[in-house]
Amino acid sequence: MQNLPERTVVVLGMGGTIAGRAASADDNLGYVAGTVGVGALVASASHDAPVTVESEQVAQIDSKDMEFALWRRLAGRVAHHLARVEVAGVVVTHGTDTLEETAYFLSRVVAADKPVVLTAAMRPASSRQADGPQNLADATTVATLGGRAGVVVAFAGTLHSAHDVRKVHPYRLDAFSSGDAGPLARIEDGRLRALRDWPAESIMARDRMPEDASAWPWVEIVTSGTGTDGRVVAALIAAGVAGIVVAGTGNGSLHRVLEAALADAEARGVAILRSTRCLDGTIVENTPRRFASAGDLTPVKARIELMLRLLESR
Ligand code: ASP
């Protein structure tokens, strides 16, 4: 019988609280994110599955400071390791603050034929009750699953799709939700209890991403609400914005003054995408309306989507 090579999981470190360190093991807030090396994180997590775990430090930052150049580098490293035959899947350790953004970005630019599993932590690695080691062990388990492909997030015993995941709590250990769509699975004692299929995103060519961060299309989010007027839109047009995601009220409705300002922006060549500031659900259209709909994407993800569409149309 032929001996199959042991499967490998590659863990790419980006920093975050999972790699954070505080002066005291009882301090879960006064830590510095992005301090502990990814090799040490891997060493601190137990792996049930018989796998070889490799690690690579791609960045070491607090994810609130994420940059387009780092996204580009990360996408390249993920694609590189996925192409290796012995690699079962890739894990990315990341900060929680922009985890949903990086997950959505990767899901749109990496043609993953294996699992790409992002994970993070709410407590630093130095905490007496750190949540990172279990989250990393769960992510590694998911990365070894055969027959599954795409970008997902393993967090607090739950598996989320890159499309639906969002951070919903600033402190709780179970800080992420998939909203209306619900999670993909529960991860229980090293086993996956599937709840729904992993969704697939359409993939954008990675060579469309400029090396120079300033060459990425500038897209901002503007929120509609009481007394909203067009001043911010006028300022954005004057400053050279390429796209505006509007976070509308309810079913994507807009204050009439803001809507007029956005119509003016569109007439001047600014791309507009309409989303909703509601926490759950999708915009429901019965008749075509002005401005394209972001569907069920949150304003934060709609911003990435519009950026990628603008890159694709160049
Ligand atoms: N500020 C941290 C980060 O996003 C928060 C975390 O990881 O939980 O890197």
Side-chain angles (χ1 to χ4, degrees), residues 7-188:
R7 291 169 308 163
T8 297
V9 169
V10 181
V11 182
L12 302 177
M14 296 297 286
T17 295
I18 192 168
R21 192 185 286 128
S24 145
D26 295 315
D27 189 351
N28 287 325
L29 289 175
Y31 59 87
V32 180
T35 305
V36 181
V38 66
L41 299 185
V42 168
S44 72
S46 62
H47 306 291
D48 301 331
V51 287
T52 302
V53 182
E54 285 178 16
S55 62
E56 179 182 323
Q57 196 79 53
V58 176
Q60 187 62 295
I61 62 158
D62 186 318
S63 81
K64 71 181 176 55
D65 299 323
M66 186 51 65
E67 298 290 349
F68 300 132
L70 284 182
W71 266 5
R72 193 176 182 277
R73 189 190 309 165
L74 176 62
R77 296 314 292 158
V78 170
H80 166 82
H81 290 295
L82 287 179
R84 295 170 50 199
V85 279
E86 71 278 22
V87 169
V90 171
V91 169
V92 179
T93 57
H94 198 284
T96 60
D97 286 346
T98 56
L99 182 74
E100 69 212 70
E101 297 187 39
T102 300
Y104 186 69
F105 165 73
L106 288 177
S107 76
R108 287 280 277 108
V109 303
V110 176
D113 56 351
K114 301 168 184 174
V116 176
V117 193
L118 281 76
T119 195
M122 291 300 285
R123 291 180 180 156
S126 54
S127 169
R128 205 178 298 286
Q129 289 176 314
D131 51 332
Q134 185 62 53
N135 287 345
L136 181 51
D138 286 349
T140 307
T141 299
V142 177
T144 60
L145 292 174
R148 297 249 181 28
V151 181
V152 292
V153 170
F155 201 90
T158 298
L159 195 67
H160 303 273
S161 74
H163 189 96
D164 297 298
V165 71
R166 76 259 338 234
K167 190 173 182 183
V168 293
H169 205 281
Y171 185 74
R172 217 171 61 199
L173 287 189
D174 189 3
F176 286 82
S177 166
S178 288
D180 265 5
L184 297 177
R186 302 287 180 199
I187 312 157
E188 296 162 338

Side-chain angles (χ1 to χ4, degrees), residues 67-69 210-219 240 242 311 314:
E67 298 290 349
F68 300 132
E211 243 171 274
D212 176 4
S214 67
W216 284 60
W218 178 24
V219 177
L311 280 176
R314 274 184 181 168

Side-chain angles (χ1 to χ4, degrees), residues 2 59 105 146 234 287:
Q2 198 187 353
F105 165 73
T287 49

